Amino acid sequence: MIKKIVLPIIILGFFSAVAVGMYWARPKPEKVAPEPPSFFVEVAEARKTVVNFEVLSQGSVSPRTETTLIAEASGQIIEVSDAFVSGGFFAKGQVLIRIDPRNYESSVKRAKADVAKAATQLATESALAGYARDDWKRLREVTPGVAPASDLALRKPQLQEALATLQSAEADLEKAEGDLDRTVIRAPYNGMVRQKIADVGQYVNTGSQLAATFATDKAEVRLPVTQQDLQFLDIAKLRSGEPISVLLKADLGGGSFTWQADIVRTGGVFDPQSRVLYLVAEVIDPYGLTGEGEIPLLMGTFVSAEITGRPGGELFLIPRHSMPRGNTLWLVDEESRIYPQDVSVVRRDNEYVYVSEGIKGGDRYCLTPIAQPLPGMKVRLNG
């Protein structure tokens, strides 16, 4: 009975001692410092490039000359041109509208009759004045001491009145003929009808609106430019009469099209709300009426603009996403570690940061932005 109790205790004690001995005899594990995580980045070499600045803007195309046609005569519209429709093109001097001229033709006839009557009266008074002068000469010969003849005796006032009546009649005739001519509405320039307001059969009064038209020889685009971007444009050219080139772009019908234009003037003042200066770009023959195969630049089209700026010299072009903020560029050394470098930034646009100093040609920098970079951080390079 005692053996059955003691033997298990002895066996248990033996194996416990062996386990303790093995624990104390185990080799100590080697301590290895964990390698800090490294980011996978793309790098690029800094290279200087000759830069000509460009300023981006946008705006809508509008006519340079726009007119509201107004009736200068009253009456019923009896005829309109085939071009007198919304979107219709017309040539300078082309007849667009005719107003019933019968009342004005009658006025012209009456005015001509008045002129003829006044001319007859003037001829009569001229003859009577001649007779009066001859009579006075004969009287002076018979009676040498007679007093000088008065203007009334020589019928000078009557002659002046007849002359004034003729001039008044001629003025009335000129006005009547002008009113008759104004019953025909002619195009003031080569252009297009934007909006048709009146039509055949409608009675219009003097001052009634007939149509809204605009000239097609030139179009304008007002392009806003900030005070910061203005320094990259050679505005002095405009003061000397030299235009600034600009390329207009628009997407039409699934395709992208461009038009060449020139900035010819500025708005002259900064907008008090937006603090921008408007540059006015001029497009010659926007509808391509005199060219061949030109895509028309329709009025109201929203376009983006690339304005040619002044030369910037040799600069480093750093992609904008590589320097999202500040003036710090992260360089990569030969051990694939990064460190910050402050650079001199000349300009930022939507694509690039233009750097003049702080780095040199051949320096490698991180293209990939790092959320929380630390100096000396290890990176893995793509390629």
Side-chain angles (χ1 to χ4, degrees), residues 257-277:
F257 302 94
T258 61
W259 297 266
Q260 189 63 45
D262 290 321
I263 293 176
V264 295
R265 68 180 189 276
T266 70
V269 295
F270 280 94
D271 186 272
Q273 280 76 38
S274 58
R275 305 308 306 166
V276 298
L277 177 68

Side-chain angles (χ1 to χ4, degrees), residues 194-224:
R194 179 192 288 273
Q195 181 185 9
K196 178 180 177 180
I197 301 175
D199 210 338
V200 173
Q202 183 174 343
Y203 186 90
V204 294
N205 292 310
T206 302
S208 298
Q209 295 186 1
L210 303 177
T213 64
F214 60 86
T216 55
D217 58 339
K218 295 178 182 178
E220 291 185 344
V221 185
R222 287 167 51 86
L223 302 173

Side-chain angles (χ1 to χ4, degrees), residues 155-209:
R155 303 189 64 85
K156 289 184 178 180
Q158 294 87 334
L159 183 61
Q160 291 176 351
E161 181 183 7
L163 179 61
T165 302
L166 176 60
Q167 291 175 342
S168 177
E170 289 175 342
D172 291 340
L173 175 60
E174 184 178 353
K175 180 180 182 301
E177 289 176 341
D179 291 341
L180 177 61
D181 184 65
R182 282 188 281 272
T183 61
V184 179
I185 309 299
R186 293 178 173 85
Y189 41 66
N190 296 330
M192 190 179 85
V193 177
R194 179 192 288 273
Q195 181 185 9
K196 178 180 177 180
I197 301 175
D199 210 338
V200 173
Q202 183 174 343
Y203 186 90
V204 294
N205 292 310
T206 302
S208 298
Q209 295 186 1

Side-chain angles (χ1 to χ4, degrees), residues 298-378:
L298 306 183
M299 300 300 167
T301 302
F302 188 79
V303 296
S304 59
E306 297 177 358
I307 306 172
T308 303
R310 61 177 179 81
E314 291 189 347
L315 299 173
F316 295 100
L317 270 64
I318 308 300
R320 180 68 181 266
H321 64 267
S322 299
M323 292 180 62
R325 56 188 177 275
N327 295 342
T328 300
L329 182 65
W330 288 87
L331 302 183
V332 182
D333 61 14
E334 296 179 354
E335 297 179 358
S336 297
R337 298 182 183 277
I338 62 173
Y339 62 92
Q341 179 64 44
D342 290 335
V343 296
S344 298
V345 176
V346 176
R347 185 195 180 200
R348 296 174 184 267
D349 60 21
N350 295 333
E351 297 183 4
Y352 296 105
V353 178
Y354 300 85
V355 174
S356 60
E357 297 178 351
I359 56 175
K360 57 182 181 295
D363 286 348
R364 297 189 302 171
Y365 61 90
C366 288
L367 277 175
T368 306
I370 302 175
Q372 295 180 341
L374 296 174
M377 179 185 292
K378 188 81 172 180

